[in-house]
Amino acid sequence: MELRLYSHLQARFPSVPTTPPPSASPTAVLLPASRRGRRLWIGGSCRVAPWRNTRHLHSAICASIPDGAQGGEAVKERSVSVILLSGGQGKRMGANMPKQYLPLLGAPIAVHSLRTFCGMKEVKEVVVVCDPSYKNIFEGSVENLQIPIKFTCPGKERQDSVFNGLQEIDGDSELVCVHDSARPLVSSEDVKKVLEDAAVHGAAVLGVPVKATIKEANSDSFVVKTLDRKTLWEMQTPQVMEPNLLKDGFELVKRDDLEVTDDVSIVEYLKHPVYITEGSYTNIKVTTPDDLLLAERLMNGK
């Protein structure tokens, strides 16, 4: 086909060489997580970042597409350590056990996301942060397990639990992926997207644009202003970052005695940009009995 094209061009334009140039060799390319525009979270604001033709290739990125191929690997196999947070008390559920251990379609809530991560080739290990009395829930819960499952105890606050999990990950891991076990419906497709974005940018988090109108109020419950919904995102998990970034962030948090409510906030204190990877509204956090009913319906609809 290439020769026919050149013959056609030379008939119309005599200056075209009589022989086509040699075919180009396969080149290394980076596949985006999606074709959408990107939102870049910097210093508490959300900005739209257009795609660029070239992007920095991190060592966790390895994609090469020869002619006719469909695509390559975006994140190396067995390069990601997962920290699965399962130490919360879940008092709002009003149950006699933490919410993440309540049954959901035949398995404890926390086990669903564990199985998702264990089935991904990018994941090398899962560190479960839980009370030792609940270890038996996770042990033996995944068939044909190919990766190790480690355990560590939770801390007083969420950030303490993440810190404890961070101490147990493999030193050669290129990314650490922190997930709340109370989000059982996270899909492997969304996990792969946020892993790819974190591999490129150093840190990324799943999120969805807010749907409702959000108003800021004063201490007397009067409206101060209506916030621009286009700049507001609801954060989810997983939240993914390079291990050294998280370690450096923890040093700063501990030094300045800071309290954070999610994992990428630790990285934000370093003034490092965090990408927001658009996720799915079905990735709900099961906190109340109504959430549990909704999760059952969503899983039955898969």
Side-chain angles (χ1 to χ4, degrees):
M1 180 171 178
E2 192 178 61
L3 289 172
R4 289 200 302 268
L5 176 60
Y6 264 76
S7 297
H8 175 72
L9 288 174
Q10 199 199 24
R12 295 192 59 190
F13 305 100
S15 61
V16 173
T18 56
T19 58
S23 298
S25 59
T27 56
V29 300
L30 179 61
L31 294 179
S34 69
R35 296 296 182 183
R36 63 182 182 277
R38 312 295 260 179
R39 267 71 176 180
L40 186 60
W41 185 268
I42 302 179
S45 64
C46 184
R47 307 174 187 175
V48 176
W51 286 111
R52 290 181 169 85
N53 291 330
T54 58
R55 302 192 335 187
H56 173 66
L57 281 177
H58 185 272
S59 61
I61 296 295
C62 182
S64 180
I65 306 180
D67 292 342
Q70 295 300 312
E73 294 297 328
V75 177
K76 290 179 183 176
E77 290 189 21
R78 307 299 184 228
S79 65
V80 179
S81 291
V82 173
I83 298 176
L84 186 63
L85 299 177
S86 196
Q89 297 301 310
K91 296 178 180 178
R92 282 178 286 181
M93 184 64 75
N96 60 358
M97 67 173 67
K99 61 180 181 294
Q100 61 270 27
Y101 303 123
L102 293 174
L104 173 62
L105 296 187
I109 289 173
V111 169
H112 288 280
S113 55
L114 175 67
R115 290 173 175 169
T116 297
F117 288 115
C118 288
M120 298 183 64
K121 60 187 177 182
E122 296 86 354
V123 175
K124 70 187 307 182
E125 64 181 354
V126 178
V127 179
V128 179
V129 183
C130 70
D131 187 284
S133 61
Y134 291 104
K135 282 178 59 176
N136 63 306
I137 288 180
F138 300 95
E139 293 173 332
S141 63
V142 181
E143 295 183 3
N144 301 317
L145 184 63
Q146 303 294 318
I147 59 174
I149 297 179
K150 304 175 181 178
F151 294 91
T152 191
C153 294
K156 182 180 178 181
E157 304 293 342
R158 176 194 172 94
Q159 66 194 63
D160 302 317
S161 294
V162 175
F163 181 82
N164 291 350
L166 186 62
Q167 308 314 303
E168 302 299 323
I169 70 169
D170 188 287
D172 294 329
S173 296
E174 296 187 9
L175 293 172
V176 57
C177 172
V178 184
H179 185 65
D180 191 333
S181 66
R183 293 186 183 269
L185 283 88
V186 67
S187 69
S188 58
E189 292 80 12
D190 282 346
V191 175
K192 288 178 182 179
K193 287 195 300 183
V194 74
L195 290 179
E196 180 181 319
D197 287 342
V200 175
H201 302 289
V205 54
L206 277 185
V208 290
V210 299
K211 295 179 179 179
T213 297
I214 308 296
K215 293 184 182 292
E216 182 181 328
N218 60 22
S219 58
D220 297 320
S221 298
F222 285 98
V223 172
V224 174
K225 62 180 178 180
T226 301
L227 302 180
D228 184 359
R229 189 166 53 190
K230 293 191 295 293
T231 67
L232 300 176
W233 288 70
E234 178 185 345
M235 296 296 94
Q236 300 178 343
T237 65
Q239 303 191 3
V240 187
M241 59 225 75
E242 296 171 351
N244 287 337
L245 269 179
L246 191 55
K247 291 174 182 177
D248 292 345
F250 267 119
E251 289 183 7
L252 180 62
V253 166
K254 289 181 177 292
R255 187 193 71 193
D256 296 346
D257 195 25
L258 302 171
E259 185 173 339
V260 295
T261 57
D262 71 351
D263 316 303
V264 291
S265 295
I266 299 172
V267 176
E268 289 174 40
Y269 278 117
L270 296 173
K271 307 300 182 184
H272 189 285
V274 177
Y275 248 95
I276 300 177
T277 303
E278 187 166 356
S280 304
Y281 288 100
T282 54
N283 184 22
I284 65 171
K285 185 175 182 179
V286 178
T287 304
T288 66
D290 287 341
D291 295 332
L292 186 57
L293 290 173
L294 177 58
E296 290 178 352
R297 292 172 183 172
L298 289 171
M299 293 190 79
N300 278 323
K302 283 187 176 182

